[in-house]
Amino acid sequence: MQVLLPDVDAGWTIHPAQPMSEDEYFEFCTLNQNLRIERTAEGEILVLAPPGFETGYRNSDLTRQLGNWARQDVRGLALDSNTEYVLPNGAARSPDASWVLRDRLAGFTKKQLRKFLPVFPDFVVELVSPSDRLPTVQTKMLEWMENGAALGWLLDPDRRTLYVYRPGQDPEKLENPAEVRGEGIVEGFRLELNEIWAGL
């Protein structure tokens, strides 16, 4: 038996009577493919609120810029908000944009690559939408960093604010930057922010 409860941050939270296996969770998401679904480390299933038109536009620009750089850089793959990762802590999460080194994917089979991979992104970007609460997205960013990400950016367009997350450090807050440059594993990537800040 499953209990469906409203959640102010996520839309709805499903509390399964017993934890789902990875195959059961993937099948559940496949059967409900019109919903945005994530899983917490505790096994709760989150049905997320849709982001809205303007956020979709902003996310498209973000993904385009990361994808263009990844094609030139060739070391890794850029992925969009449809990608879900199974993290070491057991959570299954979807960032708004992410990048993974190709070498880390070499051991996976074609069948595995068609499902949610038990791997963390090397670089992750989250975009705050009107339906999000900033503290909730900040907690999600910390989870990315605690589970292996080397760098993370949190974009809050309504406040024109960007937070840079690095492992073991407090986030760095940047107010109204026109651009942000990658470092470490994504050195060379430059995200232009004026279009994302402006929205529609």
Side-chain angles (χ1 to χ4, degrees), residues 27-103:
E27 182 179 0
F28 175 81
C29 292
T30 301
L31 292 172
N32 296 280
Q33 57 187 295
N34 292 327
L35 301 176
R36 296 174 63 234
I37 299 170
E38 292 184 346
R39 183 183 65 204
T40 69
E42 295 72 35
E44 296 175 335
I45 307 302
L46 307 178
V47 180
L48 307 176
F53 192 88
E54 185 174 53
T55 300
Y57 171 77
R58 287 169 163 155
N59 205 109
S60 176
D61 189 61
L62 163 63
T63 304
R64 175 189 59 79
Q65 291 189 59
L66 181 59
N68 288 346
W69 172 77
R71 284 200 170 202
Q72 294 178 347
D73 180 78
V74 308
R75 293 175 303 127
L77 298 174
L79 300 115
D80 69 8
S81 59
N82 291 308
T83 307
E84 189 148 325
Y85 298 88
V86 178
L87 301 179
N89 70 352
R93 299 290 193 179
S94 297
D96 289 307
S98 57
W99 182 86
V100 179
L101 282 165
R102 289 178 185 270
D103 292 349

Side-chain angles (χ1 to χ4, degrees), residues 3-157:
V3 180
L4 189 65
L5 297 172
D7 185 301
V8 69
D9 294 328
W12 293 91
T13 302
I14 300 172
H15 302 271
Q18 56 186 7
M20 295 184 189
S21 69
E22 296 304 335
D23 287 339
E24 288 171 337
Y25 175 67
F26 184 79
E27 182 179 0
F28 175 81
C29 292
T30 301
L31 292 172
N32 296 280
Q33 57 187 295
N34 292 327
L35 301 176
R36 296 174 63 234
I37 299 170
E38 292 184 346
R39 183 183 65 204
T40 69
E42 295 72 35
E44 296 175 335
I45 307 302
L46 307 178
V47 180
L48 307 176
F53 192 88
E54 185 174 53
T55 300
Y57 171 77
R58 287 169 163 155
N59 205 109
S60 176
D61 189 61
L62 163 63
T63 304
R64 175 189 59 79
Q65 291 189 59
L66 181 59
N68 288 346
W69 172 77
R71 284 200 170 202
Q72 294 178 347
D73 180 78
V74 308
R75 293 175 303 127
L77 298 174
L79 300 115
D80 69 8
S81 59
N82 291 308
T83 307
E84 189 148 325
Y85 298 88
V86 178
L87 301 179
N89 70 352
R93 299 290 193 179
S94 297
D96 289 307
S98 57
W99 182 86
V100 179
L101 282 165
R102 289 178 185 270
D103 292 349
R104 295 182 55 229
L105 305 175
F108 292 106
T109 66
K110 187 75 168 178
K111 183 177 179 181
Q112 288 175 307
L113 290 169
R114 294 188 173 187
K115 294 188 174 184
F116 305 147
L117 282 188
V119 67
F120 57 84
D122 294 289
F123 170 60
V124 63
V125 186
E126 293 284 2
L127 184 65
V128 178
S129 69
S131 61
D132 291 328
R133 291 179 57 195
L134 180 59
T136 301
V137 187
Q138 289 173 322
T139 298
K140 186 177 179 183
M141 285 300 304
L142 290 174
E143 184 176 43
W144 286 120
M145 305 313 296
E146 290 167 356
N147 280 272
L151 181 67
W153 293 344
L154 170 58
L155 282 61
D156 186 352

